[in-house]
Amino acid sequence: AFVAAAYGDKSWGIRAIMITVPISWAFMNASSAGWWSWVADIFPEKMRAGFFLKRSALINIINVIWFFLAGMCLDLFEGPGRFWVYGAIFSIGALTGIVDIILNIFIPEPLPATQPTFHPTDALEPLKNRNFVHFSISAGIVLFSINLATPFQSPFVVDPRRVGAPITWLGIMYAISQLTWVLTAPFWGTVMDKWGRKPVVTLGCFYALSWVGFFFLTPRTYIYILPLISLGIGLLSPAFTEGVNQMMLSLTPEKNRISFVAWYLAISGVVSAGGPIFGGILFDALAGFSLRVGPFEFVDFHAVQLLAILMVIVSAFIMSRVKEGKERPISFVVSRIANPGIIRTYALMEDLASSVDPEKAESALRAIDPDTGDLAIEEILARLDDPYPEIREEAARALGRIASPLAVDALSTRLRDPSSSIRVAAARALGKIGDKRAVEPLAATLREAASEELQDACVQALGTIGGDRSIKEVLALYRADVPENVRASAGTAASRLGLFEAAWELYPRLCESTNPVLRRQYAIALDNLLGNREEFYRLIGGSVSGTATRIARLFTSVEENVAKATMKLGENPKSIRTEIRRSADLLNSGHEEEALLLILSYAERVLESIFGQSPTKEGFVELAFRTEQTLGTFAWLLIETRRRLELGFPKTEGGRDSQRLIALLLAHFLANH
């Protein structure tokens, strides 16, 4: 560069570059395998990607500043003077490179526990590992596809015959893409450490889709499109560019790692080396190609870009077939990353991992997004042993919301520990996770627990998880001599398990209980058995105005269903609708018994229209059960309610409340079946 600046002779410059660049790369590659193996020894795998992507972000902050200044300086000089700038840039790069080497000398190298031995055949061991060879070739193919197009993008942007953007725009593009890289790289590192390298690397390949913007690049549009292209590159390219090396390290065994790294660099380098050459050949072959579509003209550059994009997509599929071993499915990672809550979870991870402020840690646990919280599973699990009991309990609750199977063992350990202060929270969290592995510790704790709250939490969790063992434990508690609130919880659990025989005891307890809270719990359990699964709660929970609105909508649905069903009996739909509205009005005005009688009457006619015989006929319940269990339970409820009305409900507030709940139960079934 200095010779060209001083004497203007550029004829030998290409030959000089062709000689010096391979020499510099040869020296660099002579040490790269050892360097990668060295850093793999220094940084544990579970945090290696996070460290390297943060390191990458820091490097790129410097790169942005340097590249932008270099591009701006090149724009300020024309002719031979520009080569003085090139010479200065290369000189600064060389000097700082030497400083980098010197700084590395002072970093200690971990010594092996035993003296390593080497046999010449060890150098060929990587070639016997088919998965590793597959990965190395796959990485080479991706790089080949990328290199097919990238060397020609910058010349296309600044070529006066094409886009004609100033060279400064290369600096602007670099600044945008690298600043985006700085923001996203640490995130990708965390995702790799948590969910595996392969899914992130595969996703990263798709940064090539941002090249579609080059198809619409013109001298008028480049100021809008180039920033968008740069953003796309910055968002996804660190996932591949940095991730592929992390995936390589995760596939290399500790023993003989240097040979594996060396073969990876050799294979991927050889496979990818032809990309720029093949791209150049294509350019020469397509010289003069032009296709105009509306205001856009597509030339040889666009044809090469299109081929490169298609090849990168195919390469990503090939990469996805590599077996990493501990990675999550790509679909899992995509679904999590596509969820906006992932940003909040990632932002909260630092508070969970390092905060010494109890209120801050507790707040972070409450704010964790349930759909993306498994990104922070390790940090949350660590808080199960926090010195503050509030934080321990909040961590258990967060694990329940996230419902990750990875938390089952840790929560089961706390559940079975008599000294733990979060046994109740752990039981509830295990129920929400729903993993069968939790059944045994929940059953064992249920049998031993002296606390009613802990019994309640365990039996509810078993009712949610299900299975034969859960049924056995729930029924045992249901039939035991336990307090009424525990029995109510067992009844709710039994209803979730679909144990229809529980209805025979749930119904009389609903009618006879003096506790309004337990009456509602029994009603919800009965509704579960009728097949509605917790929907009944909306009719009896919340504000008075809110429930009134929902009940009004409920009876509107009842009108439609009952009118259609009773038409078979020749009844007038208009009179049926009037009857149903009257029952709703009676219920709202405090005439529960009259409303219940009306609902009971048209419910019986609905069953008669289905079966062709009256529900009061002997053997009707058995017939309904043979048809469908929920229908049989409903028929039994009608007969039992008719019997209760004949005997008379207690003339108390509790008796009226029971009649109201039963009326809503029957109406809810009619509205939904």
Side-chain angles (χ1 to χ4, degrees):
F2 288 132
V3 170
Y7 304 106
D9 182 9
K10 299 181 286 185
S11 60
W12 59 278
I14 293 178
R15 291 193 296 275
I17 292 170
M18 295 291 287
I19 293 170
T20 55
V21 171
I23 290 174
S24 66
W25 275 80
F27 275 106
M28 184 183 74
N29 285 322
S31 62
S32 349
W35 187 85
W36 280 110
S37 181
W38 172 43
V39 296
D41 290 335
I42 293 175
F43 302 103
E45 184 176 3
K46 67 178 183 179
M47 54 79 69
R48 187 185 298 144
F51 167 80
F52 268 93
L53 272 293
K54 288 176 183 175
R55 170 183 179 270
S56 172
L58 182 61
I59 290 171
N60 278 287
I61 291 173
I62 306 301
N63 283 350
V64 167
I65 298 170
W66 171 244
F67 195 91
F68 187 80
L69 290 175
M72 187 173 64
C73 291
L74 288 169
D75 270 341
L76 293 175
F77 293 86
E78 295 181 357
R82 182 172 289 176
F83 285 97
W84 289 109
V85 179
Y86 277 121
I89 290 170
F90 296 145
S91 299
I92 294 171
L95 290 172
T96 52
I98 293 170
V99 172
D100 172 43
I101 294 170
I102 294 172
L103 290 175
N104 274 272
I105 293 173
F106 298 99
I107 301 174
E109 180 178 5
L111 295 175
T114 57
Q115 183 66 30
T117 58
F118 176 76
H119 192 274
T121 57
D122 291 344
L124 300 177
E125 182 188 348
L127 298 180
K128 301 174 186 177
N129 188 320
R130 294 181 61 184
N131 189 56
F132 186 79
V133 173
H134 179 189
F135 163 72
S136 300
I137 294 174
S138 300
I141 294 173
V142 178
L143 291 169
F144 177 95
S145 307
I146 292 171
N147 291 336
L148 191 71
T150 49
F152 312 103
Q153 289 170 351
S154 295
F156 178 79
V157 170
V158 298
D159 188 343
R161 296 168 301 172
R162 299 299 188 185
V163 178
I167 294 178
T168 302
W169 264 96
L170 298 181
I172 294 171
M173 288 179 65
Y174 189 82
I176 293 172
S177 65
Q178 297 309 101
L179 286 174
T180 310
W181 179 308
V182 168
L183 294 174
T184 59
F187 168 77
W188 289 119
T190 300
V191 174
M192 279 189 271
D193 284 336
K194 303 292 185 179
W195 295 333
R197 278 68 170 159
K198 186 181 81 173
V200 175
V201 171
T202 305
L203 284 173
C205 294
F206 288 93
Y207 87 84
L209 292 176
S210 63
W211 298 345
V212 171
F214 284 112
F215 288 84
F216 307 100
L217 210 59
T218 69
R220 291 184 176 183
T221 62
Y222 74 81
I223 60 173
Y224 310 108
I225 294 177
L226 287 179
L228 294 177
I229 295 173
S230 304
L231 276 174
I233 293 171
L235 283 171
L236 285 176
S237 61
F240 172 78
T241 307
E242 295 288 343
V244 71
N245 290 325
Q246 298 306 313
M247 187 173 174
M248 176 266 295
L249 290 178
S250 70
L251 293 175
T252 57
E254 187 175 351
K255 181 179 180 297
N256 203 21
R257 181 184 282 135
I258 292 180
S259 293
F260 275 83
V261 178
W263 274 109
Y264 161 74
L265 294 173
I267 294 171
S268 62
V270 168
V271 173
S272 65
I277 297 174
F278 185 56
I281 293 172
L282 280 176
F283 263 103
D284 290 339
L286 293 169
F289 169 79
S290 177
L291 176 66
R292 180 166 291 279
V293 179
F296 301 104
E297 182 184 12
F298 301 102
V299 296
D300 48 3
F301 170 82
H302 300 114
V304 175
Q305 292 294 305
L306 179 61
L307 178 62
I309 291 170
L310 294 175
M311 287 185 64
V312 170
I313 293 172
V314 173
S315 305
F317 174 77
I318 296 171
M319 177 68 73
S320 71
R321 313 305 294 174
V322 177
K323 298 177 182 177
E324 183 183 346
K326 294 180 288 186
E327 78 277 11
R328 292 292 189 96
I330 294 175
S331 58
F332 171 89
V333 177
V334 171
S335 68
R336 294 301 189 272
I337 292 173
N339 189 318
I342 195 75
I343 299 172
R344 182 173 63 179
T345 298
Y346 177 70
L348 292 169
M349 285 179 66
E350 185 64 28
D351 289 340
L352 291 174
S354 58
S355 177
V356 294
D357 182 347
E359 290 185 7
K360 198 171 184 180
E362 191 175 357
S363 176
L365 288 166
R366 288 200 192 98
I368 284 290
D369 183 76
D371 296 326
T372 60
D374 35 16
L375 184 69
I377 279 289
E378 290 182 13
E379 289 76 9
I380 299 173
L381 287 172
R383 291 292 181 173
L384 288 175
D385 296 319
D386 196 272
Y388 285 86
E390 298 87 356
I391 294 178
R392 295 196 296 270
E393 190 165 341
E394 202 60 57
R397 291 196 190 100
L399 292 170
R401 291 195 303 273
I402 296 167
S404 170
L406 298 175
V408 171
D409 291 339
L411 288 168
S412 297
T413 299
R414 274 69 178 182
L415 175 67
R416 296 295 293 134
D417 181 4
S419 64
S420 174
S421 65
I422 59 167
R423 300 180 78 187
V424 172
R428 289 173 179 157
L430 288 169
K432 290 180 179 179
I433 294 171
D435 194 293
K436 299 288 186 186
R437 290 175 295 160
V439 170
E440 181 56 40
L442 284 166
T445 305
L446 179 62
R447 291 193 302 271
E448 301 165 3
S451 161
E452 292 181 13
E453 188 180 11
L454 183 55
Q455 283 182 315
D456 176 272
C458 289
V459 76
Q460 292 285 6
L462 289 169
T464 302
I465 295 171
D468 293 341
R469 180 66 191 280
S470 294
I471 291 173
K472 178 182 176 183
E473 296 295 334
V474 169
L475 284 177
L477 183 68
Y478 190 69
R479 292 163 181 161
D481 183 17
V482 292
E484 187 181 5
N485 60 323
V486 176
R487 189 184 303 280
S489 293
T492 303
S495 69
R496 288 198 186 116
L497 293 168
L499 303 178
F500 288 92
E501 56 267 34
W504 319 150
E505 293 192 44
L506 287 169
Y507 186 83
R509 293 185 183 280
L510 164 61
C511 297
E512 297 162 8
S513 177
T514 58
N515 187 321
V517 174
L518 295 182
R519 278 198 299 272
R520 278 154 178 73
Q521 192 169 345
Y522 287 129
I524 290 171
L526 279 168
D527 197 67
N528 289 341
L529 289 175
L530 292 174
N532 295 316
R533 295 292 175 192
E534 309 290 353
E535 293 179 12
F536 188 69
Y537 172 78
R538 296 183 297 115
L539 299 173
I540 60 175
S543 66
V544 174
S545 59
T547 54
T549 302
R550 290 189 284 272
I551 290 171
R553 287 199 296 264
L554 169 72
F555 276 93
T556 301
S557 299
V558 173
E559 285 183 40
E560 298 296 329
N561 287 354
V562 173
K564 290 176 185 176
T566 53
M567 282 177 67
K568 298 178 182 178
L569 298 176
E571 297 201 33
N572 185 346
K574 187 175 180 180
S575 65
I576 285 292
R577 292 177 187 275
T578 302
E579 193 174 321
I580 293 170
R581 288 169 191 164
R582 182 166 176 265
S583 65
D585 292 338
L586 288 168
L587 199 63
N588 288 330
S589 60
H591 295 82
E592 291 83 5
E593 186 169 341
E594 293 178 55
L596 181 55
L597 278 167
L598 264 178
I599 294 171
L600 189 62
S601 172
Y602 55 72
E604 289 172 342
R605 277 137 58 196
V606 167
L607 289 188
E608 185 176 351
S609 72
I610 295 171
F611 291 95
Q613 62 183 56
S614 172
T616 57
K617 186 176 179 181
E618 188 175 350
F620 183 88
V621 173
E622 290 76 8
L623 173 63
F625 263 112
R626 285 197 299 271
T627 304
E628 187 188 45
Q629 283 187 315
T630 54
L631 204 57
T633 305
F634 183 66
W636 179 84
L637 280 174
L638 293 183
I639 293 170
E640 187 64 20
T641 300
R642 178 71 69 182
R643 189 182 68 81
R644 286 270 172 178
L645 283 166
E646 290 171 358
L647 293 173
F649 279 85
K651 302 298 182 181
T652 61
E653 181 63 33
R656 290 192 297 273
D657 188 41
S658 296
Q659 291 177 83
R660 178 182 176 82
L661 290 171
I662 295 167
L664 289 173
L665 269 173
L666 301 181
H668 196 217
F669 183 86
L670 292 171
N672 289 282
H673 292 80

